[in-house]
Amino acid sequence: MKTLNTFKPILLTILIATAFWIKGHEVNAAEPQTLTVAGGCFWCVEADFEKVNGVIGAVSGYTGGQIANPTYKQVTRGGTGHYEAVQITFDPDTISRASLMDMFLRSVDPTDAGGQFCDRGDSYRTAIFVSGQSEKTLAKKAVAAAQAELGQTIVTPILPASPFYLAEDYHQDYYKGRSLVLTRAGPKSQATAYKFYREACGRDARVKELWGKTLG
C-alpha cells in the first residue's frame, strides 16, 4: 500500500503533464484552410488534388458568376459567368497554399484562354480565386514562377473569391463513382467513364507536352 501511495503523485504528475502537452498541440495545430481554383473539368481537378498529401478533401462546384445556386446545365450553357471550380480543403501544417497554387498551374494549360483541352467555353476557363492581399500576392508569385518556367504568357486570371455553390451530388467524386452511366462507348461505371473521358480529352497528354510532367 505504501508503494502504491508513493507512485500516485508521480502518476498524477505524468497525467497532468501529458494533458497539457496534448492541449498545447491542439492549440498550436493550424485550422484547415481552403483554396478555390478553376481548371476546366472539375472532375479532373478534384481527382488530381485529392491525391495530394496534406489535402483533406476537394469538392466540385461553381463560382465567379452572377446568379445564385446555378445548375450544371445553366453554367455549361453559358451566360451565368460561373466557372466549373473546385474548393480544396488542406492542412497548412502539411502543405502550403503557395505549393498548391504551383501544383495547380502545372496541372492545367494556363496558356489557353478559351477553355481547357477538349472542353471549350467560358465555364471551362482557368482561374485562381483569392481572399485578401496576402493570397493575391501568393497567386501572383505562382503565376510569375510558372510563366518564367514555361516561357509563355500565363492567361489564368487571379480573381476575388465569390460565393461557391456546390455542384450536383452526382458530380462529387465522379472519378471513383460506381453508378452506371451511358457513354458513347456504351454503359460504364462513373470511374471507367471518367478515365475514358480524361484520355479522350487529351488532358494528361497536353499537360505532359506543356510541362514535361503531370501532377503527382
Side-chain angles (χ1 to χ4, degrees), residues 102-149:
D102 288 338
M103 287 181 181
F104 166 68
L105 289 169
R106 288 159 182 77
S107 71
V108 295
D109 181 353
T111 68
D112 186 350
Q116 284 292 284
F117 317 107
C118 67
D119 293 317
R120 314 312 300 165
D122 289 351
S123 65
Y124 293 109
R125 293 172 298 163
T126 61
I128 299 174
F129 297 89
V130 298
S131 297
Q133 187 58 46
S134 61
E135 289 185 17
K136 187 175 182 179
T137 299
L138 288 176
K140 284 183 174 180
K141 287 181 179 178
V143 168
Q147 187 159 290
E149 180 181 337

Side-chain angles (χ1 to χ4, degrees), residues 13-89:
T13 301
I14 292 172
L15 289 174
I16 292 172
T18 302
F20 274 110
W21 182 85
I22 292 172
K23 187 67 176 177
H25 277 66
E26 287 176 352
V27 170
N28 292 329
E31 290 292 321
Q33 297 180 12
T34 60
L35 169 66
T36 302
V37 294
C41 168
F42 46 25
W43 301 341
C44 298
V45 179
E46 186 181 339
D48 283 344
F49 280 89
E50 285 194 338
K51 299 171 187 173
V52 175
N53 185 41
V55 169
I56 299 167
V59 291
S60 294
Y62 315 108
T63 195
Q66 295 87 40
I67 68 170
N69 300 307
T71 66
Y72 179 72
K73 287 184 178 180
Q74 286 175 315
V75 171
T76 54
R77 186 167 59 233
T80 69
H82 284 289
Y83 291 74
E84 278 198 17
V86 170
Q87 191 169 80
I88 302 162
T89 301

Side-chain angles (χ1 to χ4, degrees), residues 191-210:
T192 304
Y194 164 75
K195 291 177 183 177
F196 177 80
Y197 153 77
R198 183 162 181 149
E199 183 175 354
C201 201
R203 188 181 186 99
D204 295 322
R206 174 56 180 158
V207 168
K208 188 174 183 179
E209 176 190 6
L210 193 64

